[in-house]
Every structure is written in C-alpha cells, then in structure tokens.
Amino acid sequence: VSRRNAAFLPKMLQARRAAIDLLGRLQPKVVVSVGGYASMPAVFAASKLDIPVVVVSYDLRPGKASRLAARRAAASAVAFPDSPLPRATITGAPVRRAVLDIDRRRDRAAARHRLGLPADRFVIAVMGGSQGSGLLNDVTWSIVRERSGDASIAIRHAVGERFIDRAPAPPERGLLYQPIGYEPEMSLVYAAADVLVGRGGASTVHEVAATGIPAILVPWVDAAEDHQTQNVRWLSDAGGAIHLPESSVDELPRLLSGLQSDHERRELLSARARELGEVHRDGALPALIESVAGR
C-alpha cells in the first residue's frame, strides 16, 4: 500500500498543476466537488487561486475525499441532517429532472407501454447498479425458475453487461422476464414498476425517495466504510423502504410475494419515501451554488 501511495503522490501533484492552469484560464466563480479523489486536484487548485468551493455530498457518511475537501470549502451541500461536514446546508441530492418529474400514477401506463411491460401484471424491477450485481442476479434467476409459470408477474432485470450471457432465456409462457445488460430508461422504470429491488448507493436511495417507488434495498457490504447500509437505513428506519442485508438475501422471494399481495404496505412505503424525498424538489442545491458564486 505504501508503495502505491508513493507512486500516486507525483501524479496528484501533476494533476494539481494542470488544474491550476485550467482554472486560471477559465476563471470560474465557483468550483463544485462531488467527491472522490479525482476531484482533489481541482479543490487544491481552487484553494490556491482563492476560488470558492462547494462540496456536494449525498451519502449519509461522507467519503474521505469529501471530508478533506470540505475543510477548504465555502459551503457543504448535504442530503441528510446532522452532517459531519463543516458549513453544511441541507439541499437534498442532485436528482435528475426526468426522475423528479415522475408521477407514478399518471405515468404508469405510458411507461409500461414504452418498456413492453403488461398493464395488468405485478412488475418487479431488479437493478444491480451500472455493473450489475452477481448476488442480485442469482436470487432473481432463482425466482425466474421457481415462478416461471406465474402469469401474474413480470420482471425487468438489469443484469450488467458482464453477466448478460448468463441470463436465462425468458419462459415461453407464464412469467414475463426482461433481462438487459444496462438500463437506459430508469425514469420509465420508476414509473412502471410496482417494486424496485436495488442496491444502497446514494443515487438509488435518493431516487427512491424522490419517486416514492416501494423498494427492497440490499446494500453492498463491501462499499467503502459501509456507507450503503447507512444510506438505506435512513430510508428504512423511517418506513420508506425495506432494508435487506446481503446475509439475508434468500428472503427476497418471500418479501416480494408479501408485497405483491399487500397493496396497503406498498402504499405506506411509497408515501413515507416521498415525504423524505421532498427535500430534493425545492431547488436548494443550485441556489446554494449560485449564492457562493456571487460572494
């Protein structure tokens, strides 16, 4: 580890010099950092050039890069109360407008039509992130096999491009199964599905809250500092999602069957999630960035 760190330092210094040159030419009024060590050269350069920095952190536990950048920042835009970052303002997360504009009741029929999903089935969306999740794939494929003759459900499953060749062939009759490598139409999925099964990354958690989709979230146990579990617990502790640890993922079929037959519970999950998602709809994040830029 120490050798890798030693080799990394010259690259960081080179990137800092390049960032100073770039920002010197662009002369921005503000630099926005969304975390990750790739953002640090620009943060260091902005500090050197007296350009204010806004740190945007929408994990419940900010990463190390965000914590380091926030020491130099004029403001920290956060999605959760009680943030450990200095000069924190609760702004919600930068949720895409296409997602914020979703009305699940209004848009459901049109979204299902565009995705090729039946209007009259219980639709389960399984989204394992941009790379896919072997764990979620395996349990989903088990459900496909066990319920292959069940014509009451449909499953849209983003398996990840690296796993797509392993996806089972859809049953000829009964269950409707749509395996895809990558999901390009997430806004349609949020409108079309009755239940979302996903991971616990910040984007997923905040989009669940913004749309109010009933969700079963399985945080990735190897995420840095276990931040996905904390993200999910923010929702689940308030009744806005079901937290399913990886160690209990075999419970997924039972949980899905329960939600299929319990419309009231789905409605309660949806309502509570949307209450928590209100913070994403008031435009506080761009307002904060503009206020810092105007100082």
Side-chain angles (χ1 to χ4, degrees):
V1 174
S2 58
R3 288 182 178 179
R4 286 204 301 269
N5 288 345
F8 178 70
L9 183 58
K11 295 180 181 178
M12 179 65 77
L13 293 174
Q14 182 181 9
R16 178 177 178 270
R17 288 192 294 269
I20 289 173
D21 178 65
L22 178 64
L23 296 181
R25 287 187 282 110
L26 295 177
Q27 296 186 335
K29 293 183 178 180
V30 63
V31 168
V32 178
S33 169
V34 294
Y37 284 106
S39 69
M40 292 310 301
V43 171
F44 291 141
S47 179
K48 175 74 172 178
L49 298 173
D50 292 324
I51 301 169
V53 172
V54 175
V55 170
V56 178
S57 176
Y58 43 100
D59 284 309
L60 185 59
R61 174 183 285 182
K64 292 180 180 178
S66 292
R67 296 199 299 270
L68 180 59
R71 298 177 189 174
R72 302 166 179 262
S76 300
V78 301
F80 301 99
D82 303 320
S83 172
L85 297 183
R87 296 170 292 283
T89 299
I90 300 174
T91 61
V95 177
R96 293 167 291 165
R97 175 52 58 186
V99 172
L100 288 175
D101 287 345
I102 290 168
D103 181 316
R104 283 174 36 79
R105 286 189 174 86
R106 179 196 67 200
D107 301 333
R108 172 177 163 164
R112 289 192 173 196
H113 178 73
R114 287 185 58 184
L115 294 175
L117 292 165
D120 58 349
R121 293 202 188 195
F122 182 75
V123 174
I124 301 164
V126 182
M127 302 289 137
S130 59
Q131 300 299 312
S133 163
L135 181 75
L136 293 186
N137 288 350
D138 287 342
V139 69
T140 302
W141 292 335
S142 175
I143 293 170
V144 170
R145 289 191 297 270
E146 292 173 4
R147 300 186 67 176
S148 62
D150 188 344
S152 71
I153 63 172
I155 300 176
R156 186 171 178 89
H157 183 190
V159 304
E161 296 290 354
R162 59 187 174 140
F163 297 113
I164 190 64
D165 291 341
R166 293 173 50 193
E172 293 184 6
R173 293 181 298 276
L175 182 148
L176 175 65
Y177 179 56
Q178 292 183 336
I180 55 175
Y182 173 76
E183 179 55 75
E185 299 282 7
M186 275 308 301
S187 59
L188 295 180
V189 170
Y190 287 127
D194 291 291
V195 174
L196 173 78
V197 178
R199 288 301 207 170
S203 294
T204 297
V205 168
H206 294 304
E207 289 180 358
V208 166
T211 59
I213 187 170
I216 301 171
L217 300 178
V218 186
W220 180 37
V221 72
D222 291 326
E225 301 181 71
D226 200 24
H227 70 271
Q228 288 202 6
T229 294
Q230 296 184 56
N231 292 342
V232 172
R233 283 178 174 164
W234 169 73
L235 261 182
S236 63
D237 288 354
I242 296 172
H243 172 207
L244 181 63
E246 283 193 358
S247 59
S248 302
V249 75
D250 289 345
E251 293 292 305
L252 183 60
R254 180 185 62 80
L255 290 171
L256 287 170
S257 294
L259 287 176
Q260 182 178 0
S261 62
D262 194 341
H263 176 76
E264 183 177 353
R265 188 178 187 196
R266 299 200 309 270
E267 288 295 300
L268 288 172
L269 286 168
S270 179
R272 189 60 184 131
R274 279 190 62 83
E275 287 175 18
L276 294 171
E278 280 298 325
V279 68
H280 304 314
R281 286 186 275 273
D282 63 7
L285 178 57
L288 177 64
I289 293 171
E290 289 174 359
S291 70
V292 170
R295 291 178 184 175

